[in-house]
Amino acid sequence: PVARVIQNREAVHPGTYLGKGKLQELREMLYETGATGVICDDELSPAQLKNLEDILDTKVMDRTMVILDIFASRATTREGKIQVELAQLKYRAARLVGLRNSLSRLGGGIGTRGPGEKKLEVDRRLIHDRIGQLKAELEDVKRHRDVARQQRTRNHTPVAAIVGYTNAGK
């Protein structure tokens, strides 16, 4: 991080999370430092996220987005990667915000019934389709793991577990 902003208020601003003065101060700080994004150490609502991005004209991330990005970069197993992508898509689906009518797909043809699917609806459908696909892949991975576990049981493979605190030198 190149800078830090702290605001003490009785209540969080429902639209932008920060007050007008702090937003102006943050804009100036972004310009001066050349920062490429803002990370908020709290959970932001979809509206707050969009409003902050519009006002600051930069990428804004909240705590959950940062955690999911860290998990995504560290995931190594196939199951872990699927679980992280699934969590990211579920999180993103709740934060989809349509832009304008200009992004609607034309109905096409003669005698159509309206403008057709809006960009928001297409994105939502694609995300939900991908979520369904990932859930099916996750079930496959779990089924494969169950088969391997049963095979170890049949072959009487000894199983050991090491228990202890993380980084305790086990």
Side-chain angles (χ1 to χ4, degrees):
V2 293
R4 187 179 192 154
V5 174
I6 297 174
Q7 180 173 27
N8 296 321
R9 290 180 65 129
E10 282 100 39
V12 171
H13 190 279
T16 57
Y17 189 77
L18 297 171
K20 287 181 183 176
K22 283 291 178 188
L23 278 174
Q24 188 60 36
E25 183 182 324
L26 186 57
R27 269 185 79 125
E28 291 169 7
M29 196 179 292
L30 280 168
Y31 180 73
E32 290 168 5
T33 60
T36 57
V38 173
I39 297 176
C40 181
D41 188 20
D42 202 357
E43 189 74 27
L44 295 176
S45 72
Q48 288 170 337
L49 207 57
K50 184 180 182 324
N51 290 340
L52 281 173
E53 283 183 351
D54 290 347
I55 292 168
L56 300 173
D57 195 32
T58 188
K59 183 170 175 55
V60 177
M61 297 176 74
D62 64 356
R63 181 186 292 156
T64 308
M65 283 176 143
V66 172
I67 291 169
L68 287 173
D69 280 357
I70 291 169
F71 279 137
S73 67
R74 302 281 171 96
T76 54
T77 64
R78 182 168 172 242
E79 184 181 15
K81 290 176 182 177
I82 292 171
Q83 286 175 337
V84 169
E85 187 179 352
L86 192 60
Q88 285 177 323
L89 286 174
K90 285 181 177 179
Y91 183 77
R92 202 172 298 143
R95 278 155 174 69
L96 272 181
V97 180
L99 295 173
R100 273 161 231 93
N101 285 344
S102 63
L103 289 176
S104 65
R105 286 187 172 185
L106 294 177
I110 301 170
T112 59
R113 294 185 179 150
E117 270 188 317
K118 299 239 182 320
K119 176 82 168 88
L120 172 66
E121 293 162 348
V122 171
D123 289 347
R124 188 170 286 142
R125 182 172 46 82
L126 290 174
I127 284 179
H128 287 296
D129 289 350
R130 181 69 180 145
I131 286 174
Q133 192 178 25
L134 287 173
K135 283 183 179 178
E137 283 183 40
L138 202 55
E139 282 302 314
D140 282 348
V141 170
K142 287 180 180 176
R143 206 173 309 115
H144 178 72
R145 202 169 1 124
D146 288 342
V147 168
R149 186 179 298 124
Q150 289 170 359
Q151 192 68 31
R152 284 194 302 270
T153 306
R154 261 189 243 118
N155 293 340
H156 303 294
T157 305
V159 176
I162 299 174
V163 181
Y165 291 111
T166 306
N167 295 335
K170 294 182 290 284

